């Protein structure tokens, strides 16, 4: 099943059920928002699945053409967003390039609490204050959970994964090392995140969803040119591992969003990268300095993920980076 959120002027928008081919949609009567759906998942999921089946047969009443430009992020805001760095290859490359010494335990996932109160939609222009911020992108996948009890074990964790999403984890690299050096988490280095048009139930991925990983390529384009297509199968920590680790001593509320960290594969020379920082690090290792520039105003990015039949799973993120509007202080 595929779900989206139509902009309607409210903070949380209007829930849509979207056809598998992302061509048509309709507004379910049983629930109004994505958060309400995840809060009442056991009750409303069968009803939403019935609507989805009708859409796919072309029989849903009051259906209309689906327009990804008219939707917000599937969850325009969330109660909690935690991002991981689950592809250790990415961290290894960064450490080699910049002679970093990172205290890490390969049995413990690297996690950070992230901003969750304001997510961008798939086609929204992305404003940033200055090109000197060194804007970057990171292609990732996220899961959305129902209520997870404290102490949930890895073998039970995937039962709490109800939806998956594709996203661009925007970074401002100028601020990153300074904030890391201060000892707490990111603030200016990690502004709002951008999500693809639809959230999908795990069954939409077929056998590409296994072992708590998405075994599909994440396709990244910069200004219409290929940048990379790393695959999710190389996650060192699965979503089961990550959920169990976070839930060790706390409950996780329905609607919690957990990200993978930027996709990164060991055969990076062949499949490319999902972020600028990794490519720049590889250039530094090879040539002593980076040559790929950070983002400039007007640049366009596209992120997509196709299933085995060539159908877009989440729809595409397709957005531009633009100057932020300045508000004068009175």
């Amino acid at each position: 099943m595929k779900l989206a959120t139509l902009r309607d002027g409210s903070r949380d928008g209007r829930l849509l059920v979207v056809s598998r081919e992302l061509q048509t949609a309709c507004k379910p009567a049983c629930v109004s928002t994505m958060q309400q759906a995840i809060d009442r998942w056991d009750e409303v999921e069968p009803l939403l699945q019935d609507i989805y089946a009708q859409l796919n047969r072309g029989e849903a009443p009051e259906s209309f053409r689906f327009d990804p430009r008219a939707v917000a992020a599937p969850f325009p805001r969330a109660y909690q967003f935690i991002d991981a760095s689950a592809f250790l290859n990415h961290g290894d490359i960064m450490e080699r390039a910049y002679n970093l010494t990172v205290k890490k335990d390969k049995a413990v996932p690297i996690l950070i609490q992230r901003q969750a109160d304001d997510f961008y939609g798939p086609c929204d222009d992305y404003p940033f204050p200055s090109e000197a911020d060194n804007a970057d992108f990171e292609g990732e996948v996220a899961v959305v959970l129902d209520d997870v009890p404290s102490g949930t074990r890895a073998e039970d964790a995937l039962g709490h994964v109800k939806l998956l999403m594709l996203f661009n984890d925007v970074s401002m690299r100028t601020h990153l090392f300074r904030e890391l050096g201060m000892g707490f988490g990111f603030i200016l280095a990690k502004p709002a995140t951008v999500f693809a048009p639809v959230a999908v139930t795990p069954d939409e991925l077929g056998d590409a969803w296994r072992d708590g990983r998405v075994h599909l390529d994440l396709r990244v384009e910069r200004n219409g040119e290929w940048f990379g297509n790393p695959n999710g199968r190389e996650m060192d920590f699965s979503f089961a591992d990550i959920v169990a680790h976070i839930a060790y001593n706390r409950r996780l509320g329905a609607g919690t969003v957990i990200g993978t960290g930027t996709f990164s594969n060991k055969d990076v020379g062949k499949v490319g990268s999902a972020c600028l920082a990794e490519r720049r690090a590889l250039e530094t290792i090879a040539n002593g300095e980076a040559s790929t520039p950070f983002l400039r105003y007007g640049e366009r990015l596209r992120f997509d993920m196709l299933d085995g039949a060539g159908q877009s799973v989440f729809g595409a993120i397709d957005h531009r980076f633009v100057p932020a509007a300045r508000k004068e202080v009175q």
Side-chain angles (χ1 to χ4, degrees), residues 38 75 78 80-84 119 140-146 148 157-167 195 199-202 205 209 212-214 235 237-244 246 252-261 263 314:
I38 204 74
F75 284 82
Q80 179 165 222
F81 174 28
I82 300 172
D83 203 15
F119 294 147
E140 306 189 26
V141 165
V143 295
V144 182
L145 309 174
D146 65 3
V148 179
L158 295 183
H160 294 285
V161 172
K162 301 306 176 186
L163 296 167
L164 292 101
M165 302 187 291
L166 173 69
F167 68 98
F195 286 84
V200 310
T201 49
L205 278 71
W209 172 245
R213 297 167 173 85
V214 176
M235 278 178 71
F237 296 98
S238 72
F239 278 116
D241 299 326
I242 295 168
V243 172
I246 300 170
L252 303 178
T256 293
V257 177
I258 299 178
T260 57
F263 275 37
F314 303 96

Side-chain angles (χ1 to χ4, degrees), residues 156-235:
D156 301 317
L158 295 183
H160 294 285
V161 172
K162 301 306 176 186
L163 296 167
L164 292 101
M165 302 187 291
L166 173 69
F167 68 98
N168 173 16
D169 180 28
V170 177
S171 299
M172 301 293 175
R173 297 294 178 184
T174 292
H175 308 285
L176 191 141
F177 285 119
R178 174 177 56 82
E179 291 186 335
L180 276 177
M182 294 171 70
F184 273 28
F186 301 129
I187 297 294
L188 299 185
K190 290 290 188 178
T193 306
V194 184
F195 286 84
V198 300
V200 310
T201 49
D203 59 290
E204 288 294 321
L205 278 71
D207 63 4
W209 172 245
R210 60 184 187 275
D211 306 322
R213 297 167 173 85
V214 176
H215 293 243
L216 292 172
D217 289 351
L218 198 166
R219 301 174 176 221
V220 183
E221 294 179 5
R222 181 183 188 181
N223 300 320
E225 296 182 356
W226 175 88
F227 193 88
N229 57 280
N231 193 287
R233 61 176 171 262
E234 290 189 25
M235 278 178 71

Side-chain angles (χ1 to χ4, degrees), residues 3-29:
L3 303 173
T5 293
L6 181 69
R7 297 185 193 276
D8 67 353
S10 69
R11 287 184 182 272
D12 297 307
R14 182 64 168 88
L15 182 68
L16 298 179
V17 183
V18 183
S19 65
R20 181 170 289 113
E21 290 77 19
L22 307 176
Q23 296 301 306
T24 58
C26 65
K27 301 174 184 178

Side-chain angles (χ1 to χ4, degrees), residues 1 26 40-41 65 67 111 120 126-128 171 187 203 256 296 313 321:
M1 178 170 56
C26 65
R40 299 166 51 199
W41 191 254
R65 184 177 66 86
D67 181 1
L111 301 164
Y120 277 80
Y126 196 101
F128 64 104
S171 299
I187 297 294
D203 59 290
T256 293
R296 298 291 179 257
V313 177
F321 280 70

Side-chain angles (χ1 to χ4, degrees), residues 280-315:
R280 288 172 56 86
L282 290 165
E283 291 168 345
T284 299
I285 293 168
N287 306 316
E289 62 180 1
S291 56
T292 298
F294 287 108
L295 294 171
R296 298 291 179 257
Y297 294 140
E299 292 206 58
R300 183 176 291 276
L301 298 175
R302 183 180 176 88
F303 302 79
D304 204 355
M305 184 172 278
L306 306 184
D307 62 20
Q311 168 65 42
S312 179
V313 177
F314 303 96

